[in-house]
């Protein structure tokens, strides 16, 4: 959610900022802006919409010599996506960029307005720069003014501030939103994740919550509530795996096609003929654990829901799953025999991170399943299993979901194996199916073409129901989420057996039902559910290995012997269907409206 970059040094600053923001654009693309101070010269540019608008606006500008600079790409939280609401926000002589939410901004704003300060934007961020200048005007000491400013802020933030009162210094603070500092000799970089600085910096320090300070003359002065503190830099990888589209029309399309390959990566070194190994977990990790609780959001929540069936069925361990934003405020009863698992593609989702912190405070052992190493959730957890999906740029998650599901399936087997609750012949059968997964994910040209043709029949109507039973119910939820994210149609996932308890009232010819009808799991049950809908004239798109005569449209899948193989094959069908509907509607597939890749606000 939003992206921050910063740079202090003698290199050309505009390009560093714009290139960095390009890497972060998928996190928010309502507007973008940069501010640069070089000696006496202050430059500031903002543009609404995609970054290319800002590039266009800054074409004639070039920075020269030593200077300080900050940039931001925004996903709107307070105030519309306008130029005035774009960061950096200006005071009388300072600029600020910020990720997160200042919860007490209204109160601070009212105090400042009572002092005669005029606000230009509707954002919470603008209060930071005015509070800073108020203090600095009183004490004429920019660092102390900054320190006093952050003492006043409640909420989650990662922020950078530059000011003409200290034209050789960048001030920074982090609490609840990610931020790191990159180093290359005298040059110092800031960013809200490491991609913008890979290839530029060779060492990095990931700021902890409550840390703040300033950078001057290539040196970082770091503080927290206890005072000045030292820190240790770590090496930053130099090889930039910059995700390119490789001939695909969209990142999402490329990522769907990559699923087969990345699945092999996910399994590498972990899946053996008759056992599962996780080097990340020490052998006593599950000692004393008799239940599992999983917290996640969105797509990650759907992978969690599917895994609950697997943990109970295969490992015989009680497992319940909660949406992280609900879990945080329900005053949950937590017991230390529960392993707390968080699932997150980005590793920065605020609700999931806070849920994890709550569980840790309650003394629970924690494990994260994540796609981004060194992310906040990974660093906060006792142990982490990386999904190895590679950078996912499409805002609508695909390969991250597939690999999360795979890791969870492996983990269910691993727990059963470690706790000796899973018979060795079942383990072998599961592993044999697992090894076939990459094949089940290969996108066949014929299937893609069929879905492209079919998609034109689904551009109207009053809604979509994705229905399934057992693990195919979470897959239905995920299919519906994918469609709604990029088509903007109303779509719902439902347990097939629940339709008759109310939703069937909506059935008519323009209610599109996407029926997940696996052969290896409850086929006859779901068939009856779909027949009930067909009898009410709902339009049925059936996805099944078994021909179904009542289907208005039919996608025949190939796998019919193992539910997980059917699951992955059907997942691809639902992803491609959503993609092709979105393409026909002319929507922005990779950056759908109102969304951002990483949701670092509550
Ligand atoms: C997925 O398509 C979504 N964009 C969204 O639901 C996402 O899964 C959710 O915000 C959680 O993100 P995370 O996995 O990075 O924690």
């Amino acid at each position: 959610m939003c992206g921050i970059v910063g740079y202090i040094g003698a290199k050309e600053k505009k390009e560093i900022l714009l290139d960095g923001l390009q890497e972060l654009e998928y996190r928010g693309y309502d507007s973008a802006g940069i501010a640069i101070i070089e000696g006496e010269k202050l430059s500031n540019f903002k543009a609404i919409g995609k970054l290319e608008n800002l590039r266009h606006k800054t074409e004639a500008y070039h920075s020269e010599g030593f200077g300080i600079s900050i940039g931001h790409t925004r996903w709107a939280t307070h105030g519309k996506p306008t130029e005035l609401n774009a960061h950096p926000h200006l005071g009388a002589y300072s600029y600020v960029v910020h990720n997160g939410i200042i919860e007490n901004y209204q109160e601070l704003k009212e105090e400042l307005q009572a002092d005669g300060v005029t606000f230009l934007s509707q954002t919470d961020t603008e209060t930071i720069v005015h509070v800073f200048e108020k203090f600095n005007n009183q004490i004429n000491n920019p660092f102390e003014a900054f320190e006093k400013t952050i003492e006043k802020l409640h909420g989650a933030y990662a922020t950078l501030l530059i000011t003409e009162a200290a034209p050789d210094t960048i001030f920074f603070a982090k609490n609840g939103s990610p931020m790191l500092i990159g180093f290359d000799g005298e040059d110092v970089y800031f960013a809200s994740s490491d991609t913008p600085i890979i290839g530029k910096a060779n060492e990095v320090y990931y700021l902890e919550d409550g840390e703040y300070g300033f950078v001057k003359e290539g040196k970082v002065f770091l503080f927290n509530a206890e005072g000045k503190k030292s820190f240790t830099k770590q090496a930053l990888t130099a090889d930039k795996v910059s995700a390119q589209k490789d001939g695909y029309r969209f990142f999402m399309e490329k990522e769907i096609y990559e699923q087969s390959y990345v699945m092999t990566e996910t399994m590498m070194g972990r899946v053996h003929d008759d056992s599962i190994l996780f080097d990340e977990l020490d052998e006593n990790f599950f000692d004393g654990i008799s239940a599992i609780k999983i917290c996640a959001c969105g797509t990650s929540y759907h992978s969690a829901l599917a895994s609950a069936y697997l943990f109970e069925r295969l490992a015989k361990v009680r497992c319940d799953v909660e949406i992280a934003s609900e879990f945080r405020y329900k005053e949950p009863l937590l017991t230390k025999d529960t392993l707390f698992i968080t699932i997150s593609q980005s590793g920065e989702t605020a609700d999931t991170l806070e849920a994890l912190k709550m569980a840790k405070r309650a003394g629970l052992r924690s494990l994260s399943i994540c796609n981004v190493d060194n992310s906040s959730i990974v660093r906060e957890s006792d142990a982490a299993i990386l999904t190895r999906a590679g950078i996912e740029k499409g805002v609508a998650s695909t390969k991250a979901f597939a690999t999360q599901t795979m890791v969870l399936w492996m983990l269910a087997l691993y727990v059963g194996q470690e706790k000796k609750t899973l018979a060795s012949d079942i383990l072998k059968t599961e592993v044999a199916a697992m090894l076939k997964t990459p094949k089940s994910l290969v996108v066949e040209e014929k299937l893609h073409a069929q879905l492209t043709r079919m998609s034109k029949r689904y551009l109207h109507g009053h809604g979509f129901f994705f229905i399934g039973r057992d693990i195919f119910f979470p897959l239905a939820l995920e299919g519906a989420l994918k469609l709604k994210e990029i088509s903007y149609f109303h779509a719902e996932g439902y347990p097939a057996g629940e339709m008759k308890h109310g939703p069937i009232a909506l059935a008519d010819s323009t209610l599109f039902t996407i029926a997940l009808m696996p052969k290896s799991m409850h086929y006859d049950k779901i068939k009856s559910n779909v027949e009930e809908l067909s009898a009410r004239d709902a339009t049925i798109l059936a996805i099944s290995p078994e021909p179904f005569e009542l289907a208005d449209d039919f996608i025949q899948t190939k796998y019919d012997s193992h539910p997980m193989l059917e699951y992955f094959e059907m997942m691809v069908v639902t992803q491609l269907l959503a993609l092709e509907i979105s393409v026909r509607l002319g929507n922005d597939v990779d950056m759908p409206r109102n969304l951002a890749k990483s949701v670092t606000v509550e």
Side-chain angles (χ1 to χ4, degrees), residues 12-62:
E12 212 291 312
K13 281 156 278 300
K14 179 188 81 174
E15 288 306 325
I16 290 176
L17 295 177
L18 292 180
D19 288 354
L21 292 177
Q22 191 78 59
E23 295 291 340
L24 297 173
E25 194 185 14
Y26 67 102
R27 300 173 67 102
Y29 35 84
D30 289 333
S31 62
I34 57 173
I36 298 171
I37 300 179
E38 290 159 303
E40 301 283 284
K41 198 171 138 219
L42 196 148
S43 314
N44 170 224
F45 302 90
K46 295 178 181 194
I48 54 169
K50 299 254 183 85
L51 192 67
E52 63 196 46
N53 300 341
L54 184 64
R55 268 196 198 281
H56 199 62
K57 245 187 163 168
T58 54
E59 255 162 21
Y61 169 81
H62 297 284

Side-chain angles (χ1 to χ4, degrees), residues 450 454 458 467 496 512-519 522-557 566 570:
Q450 189 186 359
M454 201 178 271
Y458 295 93
I467 59 169
F512 300 131
T513 301
I514 316 297
L516 306 177
M517 305 174 69
K519 194 72 187 68
H522 314 313
Y523 180 78
D524 291 334
K525 301 278 174 214
I526 182 139
K527 187 165 172 256
S528 318
N529 301 141
V530 182
E531 281 164 358
E532 286 152 15
L533 279 154
S534 174
R536 272 101 189 152
D537 209 24
T539 296
I540 312 287
L541 162 54
I543 306 172
S544 179
E546 183 78 11
F548 179 59
E549 58 183 17
L550 296 177
D552 297 277
D553 270 319
F554 181 62
I555 296 288
Q556 184 152 28
T557 45
E566 294 205 59
M570 289 186 188

